Amino acid sequence: MNINNVELERTAVNQSQYPTEKKPEAAFVGRSNVGKSSLLNYLVNRKSLARTSSSPGKTRGINFYNVEDKLYFVDLPGYGYAKVSRNEKDFWAKMINEYLHTREELKLIVLLVDIRHQPTELDHIMLEWIRHSGLDLVVAATKADKITKSAISEQLEVISKALVLTEMDTIIPVSSSKKFGRDELWEVLREKLRV
Ligand code: GTP
Ligand code: MG
């Protein structure tokens, strides 16, 4: 897709604040600092549309990015960030759950995992929810620039096994900093969102 127009349309913390216009949505989920906001920027070719940070916990609300008036990319706060208060964690969990459970326009989950590591316990919990929901899944294995080409194939195997991915799922190595994986990911996005 040729992308000229993309903007942050809304930041929501509850259902009443979600956009009312109906467009297919892809949600970016994963642990804090895994590279969700960076990947979103890379996908739409914008350096700093979604705010990123080297310290975890940057994205706070649910951010709806309107892409070419055709679809929304939804950037969610990451999970598993230790340094926030219990109250804040509960608030985030509730916010994310509410979105995932109620949003009819949600068509595809992009689950991000760091290509160098085994998925975490929270990734498994998230995956279980995704399976339960029946939503389509694409796994983006992030920060693939940090390892060699042969290690990339090995790690894709390791992660696919750990997450018990099926033939219906796709796993794609991506690097937002060295800029690879975008076309492959867009292909899946286009197909699953029918845009
Ligand atoms: P939260 O909003 O806290 O949940 O984090 P996030 O998942 O949105 O992560 P973010 O995009 O802010 O990136 C976190 C850090 O990882 C930043 O320092 C990025 O520069 C770095 N990073 C993201 N993607 C890549 C990548 O592909 N390669 C490398 N080497 N670093 C990356
Ligand atoms: Mg973020």
Side-chain angles (χ1 to χ4, degrees), residues 43-63:
L43 279 172
V44 299
N45 240 334
R46 290 276 294 270
K47 247 197 176 141
S48 43
L49 181 71
R51 289 168 70 199
T52 64
S53 165
S54 56
S55 48
K58 184 68 187 174
T59 307
R60 294 293 170 114
I62 299 177
N63 293 310

Side-chain angles (χ1 to χ4, degrees), residues 108-112 136-140 170-172 185 188-189:
L108 174 68
I109 301 281
V110 184
L111 174 66
L112 286 79
D136 282 335
L137 167 71
V138 52
V139 177
T170 319
I171 180 165
I172 298 169
L185 189 50
V188 180
L189 288 164

Side-chain angles (χ1 to χ4, degrees), residues 9 79 112 150:
E9 188 172 304
Y79 45 74
L112 286 79
S150 59

Side-chain angles (χ1 to χ4, degrees), residues 31-38 51-59 75-78 142-146 174-177:
R31 72 174 176 74
S32 196
N33 212 238
V34 71
K36 296 177 293 301
S37 301
S38 303
R51 289 168 70 199
T52 64
S53 165
S54 56
S55 48
K58 184 68 187 174
T59 307
D75 190 14
L76 293 167
T142 64
K143 310 194 183 182
D145 54 283
K146 298 240 190 191
V174 295
S175 167
S176 310
S177 38

Side-chain angles (χ1 to χ4, degrees), residues 94-177:
K94 193 174 159 279
M95 179 166 74
I96 294 171
N97 279 337
E98 183 180 30
Y99 170 76
L100 292 174
H101 282 101
T102 65
R103 189 66 171 163
E104 264 175 41
E105 289 76 17
L106 177 60
K107 302 292 179 230
L108 174 68
I109 301 281
V110 184
L111 174 66
L112 286 79
V113 295
D114 189 317
I115 198 161
R116 296 166 295 175
H117 308 301
Q118 285 278 354
T120 66
E121 199 185 327
L122 289 171
D123 290 329
H124 284 286
I125 292 173
M126 178 54 72
L127 185 75
E128 216 166 280
W129 181 85
I130 296 165
R131 294 310 188 201
H132 182 73
S133 74
L135 284 168
D136 282 335
L137 167 71
V138 52
V139 177
T142 64
K143 310 194 183 182
D145 54 283
K146 298 240 190 191
I147 59 176
T148 62
K149 276 224 173 86
S150 59
I152 289 180
S153 350
E154 278 168 29
Q155 283 304 102
L156 291 180
E157 288 263 322
V158 169
I159 293 166
S160 303
K161 250 197 183 152
L163 294 176
V164 201
L165 296 185
T166 73
E167 298 210 328
M168 297 290 291
D169 313 313
T170 319
I171 180 165
I172 298 169
V174 295
S175 167
S176 310
S177 38

